[in-house]
Amino acid sequence: MKKLLLIAMVAGLLFTGCSQKGIDSDADASKRGAGSGQNVDDRLNQIASVDNSLADSEARMREAAMQELQKNLQVVYFDFDKFNIKSSEQPKVKTNSSLLKEDKVSSFGIKVEGNCDEWGTDEYNYALGLKRAKSVKDSLVSEGVAESRVMVISYGESNPTCKESNKACWDKNRRVEFKILP
Amino acid sequence: MKKIIVMMLFFTSLFAIDASMEIVKKGSFTPKVALEDSTQNSQLSENFKKKFYSLLLGDFKVSGQIEIDNKDGYAFSNFEEEIAFHKYKTSDLLIKYKFELNNDKSLGIVMKIFDINSQKLASTHTYNVSKIERFPFLAHKMAIDVNNYLKAPPIDWMQKFVIFSKYTNARQSEIVVADYTLTYQQTVIKGGLNVFPKWASDKQDAFYYTSYEAKPTLYKVDLFTGKKSKIISSDGMLTCSDVSKDGTKLLLTMAPNDQPDIFLLDLQSMRTKKITNYKGIDVNGGFIDDENRIVFVSDRLGTPNIFAQSIDGGEGSVERLVYHGKNNNSCTTFKNYIVYVSRDTQNEFDKNSFNLYLISTKTDYIRQLTSSGVNQFPKFSPDGETVLFIKNQKNQSGLGIIRLNYNQSYLYPLNIGEIQSIDW
């Protein structure tokens, strides 16, 4: 009987000690509190915050300038089987040059696209379209547009703006168009 | 017993003697052929059978060497019945054929050639295509074999593929392989702007074409594997206008400095040599005179015309070839012969504006080949006896065929799209 009591008393002390330790651990932790634990948010402090609003704003302005320029550039038309710029179309090229030299667009490239009407065999027409584009490029360069900004290409008969079989439509298809390159 | 007269046509050869003489004389004896379909296969529609029948009749007619003796049009008879030869006394041959649609969906055909004059079965032929839509090539092969039986000048060109580019929309075109009647068509390149296809050799197992990408780029494509390999790029424009006989050299129109000129590309070294050196337009180069010279189109006299020059270049070697017409903007060559396109009218927008003409580089001979419509992009057949071209008339684009020795021309319309360029 005495032995059983002794065992019970020891067990009781042991369990009482454990729970006291548990309680004591929590209390100790809260006392230790600020400044002494491991920081777990060091990496959060290092995250850079990028303010893109300026670049985004610049991109939007650039896009707007491109669209504005594209809208204002005039198509240049040509006579049948000719690639020289006729006198009535020269002012358009001059105006286009001025627009292309403005500061806000001076970094843009320009693709000058030559086109033809449906008459004639297409291989000749691809070359004719190219000569038209080249004539316009040369004229832009002579007006002060940097040559390195300008590339030429020909689409021959492949790119008509209209398909009717009449003179008005054929006149419209014999042209050079401008595409702004970012 | 009547003898079959095997000489079908008597004519003065364009290529052998003096090209200024009359080209065509139709002879007294052209073999007459009666044609009968014996197909009883219910899986083949009446429409299909009649379509095939018409196509085969068309092949005989285009050959210029076989006359059709079917007064009542489509004719049918039993394949195995005994032939009453006396019923065909106005014909020299009776052709009977029977289709067989196989279990694997391939299409077979058996043809019997009966010689009416000797009253016997002369020969039997069997043909097959793996897909029914390829039936035009059955008709062409049958026509070739009947023609060969008659020992007429060969018409093997009928089996050749035609390759063409057709515009489907603005800056969109596809490349199509077809038979010469355009009945069979298979698109081999699609998506984007794909132009100026050119067979790499007479074997027709590969072709070149220009793709408009960031820069115009020339590709070579294996017809049967579809494998594509890049050859060269150029600023501005790029076309392959001719291939040397051994396939190792190409004549290209390129514009490396925004200036269109003709170049020779050696495919073995990949070196280019500039041949023309004029500040205007030089295009459409073609080999002539054993590939020692080229013929080409240039506007160096103010309007497009046809010139020749040594392959080694040098402006001093340039020779004007055509003194007729004010706007001669395309040409094709075969040995010493050139077919070119000329604008005939003063007002460029009148009817009958562009016609084809044939000249010889050795004589002053000139012959007009067409007389109406807008005729462009002529191409000689490999044997030089036929000219293929694009014909646009009344808002319809089509393929034209001219049989030079028989003074006959035929037109095959393209139902959808507009033909941009062709080769065969």
Side-chain angles (χ1 to χ4, degrees), chain B residues 11-31:
Chain B
F11 61 92
T12 303
S13 169
L14 169 65
F15 306 114
I17 312 176
D18 182 351
S20 63
M21 290 173 66
E22 175 68 22
I23 302 301
V24 174
K25 281 185 181 176
K26 201 153 186 186
S28 304
F29 304 105
T30 303

Side-chain angles (χ1 to χ4, degrees), chain B residues 87 150 242 268 296:
Chain B
K87 287 187 187 173
L150 292 167
D242 207 358
Q268 289 167 332
F296 63 102

Side-chain angles (χ1 to χ4, degrees), chain B residues 177-195:
Chain B
V177 168
D179 76 303
Y180 85 92
T181 66
L182 303 186
T183 308
Y184 176 80
Q185 295 184 29
Q186 181 177 345
T187 299
V188 292
I189 301 282
K190 62 192 293 185
L193 184 59
N194 308 291
V195 290

Side-chain angles (χ1 to χ4, degrees), chain B residues 146-185:
Chain B
V146 170
N147 185 76
N148 289 345
Y149 175 79
L150 292 167
K151 294 183 170 44
I155 53 170
D156 292 355
W157 58 266
M158 282 193 182
Q159 273 287 88
K160 290 251 172 209
F161 293 140
V162 170
I163 191 166
F164 65 91
S165 169
K166 66 173 184 181
Y167 286 126
T168 52
N169 216 327
R171 284 162 57 171
Q172 295 284 322
S173 61
E174 297 176 347
I175 293 179
V176 181
V177 168
D179 76 303
Y180 85 92
T181 66
L182 303 186
T183 308
Y184 176 80
Q185 295 184 29

Side-chain angles (χ1 to χ4, degrees), chain B residues 351-365:
Chain B
K351 284 189 269 185
N352 308 326
S353 294
F354 294 87
N355 284 305
L356 304 185
Y357 290 81
L358 169 70
I359 64 168
S360 163
T361 59
K362 302 296 185 194
T363 71
D364 293 334
Y365 175 76

Side-chain angles (χ1 to χ4, degrees), chain A residues 13-15 18 28 42 53 58 73 82 89 136 154 169:
Chain A
L13 280 171
L14 279 172
F15 285 116
C18 285
D28 288 345
D42 284 349
S53 50
E58 286 177 355
L73 287 171
K82 301 289 182 202
E89 295 293 294
V136 169
S154 173
C169 179

Side-chain angles (χ1 to χ4, degrees), chain A residues 122-123 131 137 154 158, chain B residues 167 171 212 239 258-259 279:
Chain A
D122 214 9
E123 186 167 356
K131 291 299 289 183
K137 174 183 175 180
S154 173
S158 72
Chain B
Y167 286 126
R171 284 162 57 171
Y212 265 67
T239 67
D258 306 335
Q259 169 56 43
K279 63 180 180 178

